[in-house]
């Protein structure tokens, strides 16, 4: 998909454009289950060189990325990409890692010493002395999706990617905050009800979408949908 229809696309009526970027099987699963590493997902067919290029291009254009702590752990850390252009003083977008409790183990993973990040948590645990307090955002009893969306808006972020997993995706769809779904459809069936789904567990009502663009490459289908907003 590249930049054909959404790359310039910061719509003026909404300061934050939230874009859910996901790869799934034909039956709607995003991995075989908890702890499924990126390497194993690629081996099983959830990704490939074409999808990797697609995701890296999205990262280059992003101001911020939202992702769950478990997804970061199984990935081994944050993504480092070459050619990030939004801010020449940093090597990538602001990573917003959603977790129940901000903890030091995350900060030992790849990229946290190089990239800007927020730990977005209900409460803070023990953190290393070099961790800047401003990098911890506590949502407390407020809904994490609305809280983080407002913080990103205040921070001046416009193009924000949502990387999931399923529980994180559900939070933002349930709050009617997602504008676009960029879905890579992988040529496989998982057929396991215990596997990780695109949204988990349930949405308050079905989310309707309109197809904007599509193309295929190396047996992958790249789909771009605009989310129809609930009034």
């Amino acid at each position: 998909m590249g930049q054909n229809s959404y790359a310039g696309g910061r719509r003026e009526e909404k300061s934050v454009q939230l874009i859910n970027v996901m790869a799934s099987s034909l039956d709607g699963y995003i991995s075989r289950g908890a702890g499924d590493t990126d390497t194993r997902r690629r081996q099983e067919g959830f990704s490939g060189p074409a999808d990797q290029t697609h995701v890296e291009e999205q990262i280059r254009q992003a101001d911020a990325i939202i992702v769950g702590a478990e997804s970061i752990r199984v990935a081994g850390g944050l993504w480092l990409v070459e050619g990030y252009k939004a801010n020449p003083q940093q090597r990538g977008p602001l990573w917003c890692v959603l977790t129940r409790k901000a903890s030091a183990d995350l900060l030992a993973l790849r990229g946290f010493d190089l990239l800007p990040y927020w730990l977005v948590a209900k409460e803070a645990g023990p953190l290393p002395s070099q961790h800047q307090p401003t990098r911890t955002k506590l949502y407390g009893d407020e809904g994490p999706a609305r809280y983080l969306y407002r913080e990103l808006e205040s921070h001046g972020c416009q193009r924000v990617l949502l990387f999931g997993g399923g529980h994180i995706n559900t939070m933002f769809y349930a709050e009617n905050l997602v504008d676009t779904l960029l879905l890579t459809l992988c040529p496989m069936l998982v057929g396991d009800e215990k596997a990780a789904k695109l949204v988990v567990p349930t949405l308050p009502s079905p989310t309707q979408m309109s197809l904007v663009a599509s193309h295929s490459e190396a047996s992958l289908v790249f789909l771009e949908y605009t989310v129809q907003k609930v009034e």
Side-chain angles (χ1 to χ4, degrees):
M1 283 180 280
Q3 302 182 33
N4 60 347
S5 57
Y6 48 80
R10 293 172 178 165
R11 302 168 196 163
E12 293 183 359
E13 71 271 14
K14 188 167 179 278
S15 59
V16 175
Q17 290 298 302
L18 188 57
I19 303 162
N20 190 201
V21 181
M22 301 298 298
S24 84
S25 65
L26 296 174
D27 50 348
Y29 295 98
I30 58 176
S31 76
R32 292 285 300 277
D36 209 0
T37 66
D38 281 0
T39 299
R40 182 178 169 184
R41 290 180 74 254
R42 284 192 293 271
Q43 292 172 345
E44 292 175 340
F46 278 104
S47 182
D51 184 56
Q52 186 87 0
T53 299
H54 162 68
V55 174
E56 289 182 357
E57 182 58 29
Q58 300 311 311
I59 292 174
R60 290 187 186 97
Q61 299 175 47
D63 299 314
I65 295 172
I66 301 168
V67 65
E70 187 58 30
S71 295
I72 291 299
R73 288 188 179 98
V74 300
L78 310 179
W79 285 38
L80 299 167
V81 299
E82 298 297 329
Y84 179 75
K85 299 175 183 177
N87 184 341
Q89 274 69 55
Q90 62 192 47
R91 293 182 57 188
L94 171 66
W95 285 80
C96 305
V97 183
L98 274 163
T99 180
R100 287 188 177 87
K101 188 173 184 177
S103 56
D105 72 301
L106 281 169
L107 303 182
L109 298 174
R110 180 189 65 239
F112 280 94
D113 58 335
L114 297 171
L115 298 173
Y117 69 87
W118 289 345
L119 298 183
V120 185
K122 186 177 180 63
E123 58 181 306
L127 293 166
S129 58
Q130 66 268 28
H131 172 76
Q132 299 174 17
T134 55
R135 290 184 169 182
T136 300
K137 302 288 184 178
L138 301 180
Y139 57 82
D141 294 327
E142 185 177 355
R146 284 283 176 189
Y147 169 84
L148 179 53
Y149 186 92
R150 189 177 66 251
E151 287 293 309
L152 288 169
E153 193 171 39
S154 298
H155 198 65
C157 296
Q158 294 179 296
R159 186 175 179 85
V160 178
L161 307 182
L162 175 61
F163 276 4
H167 288 280
I168 305 298
N169 288 338
T170 299
M171 290 180 191
F172 287 87
Y173 280 106
E175 293 285 352
N176 204 30
L177 295 173
V178 182
D179 299 288
T180 300
L181 170 64
L182 301 183
L183 180 65
T184 301
L185 202 56
C186 305
M188 60 184 296
L189 295 171
V190 173
D192 182 353
E193 64 180 11
K194 296 179 182 178
K197 297 178 181 178
L198 187 66
V199 291
V200 179
T202 55
L203 293 172
S205 61
T207 298
Q208 304 292 335
M209 303 189 186
S210 300
L211 183 65
V212 175
S214 65
H215 80 270
S216 61
E217 184 176 351
S219 295
L220 300 172
V221 180
F222 295 89
L223 302 167
E224 179 189 354
Y225 291 96
T226 295
V227 179
Q228 297 178 13
K229 294 296 185 175
V230 177
E231 298 297 334

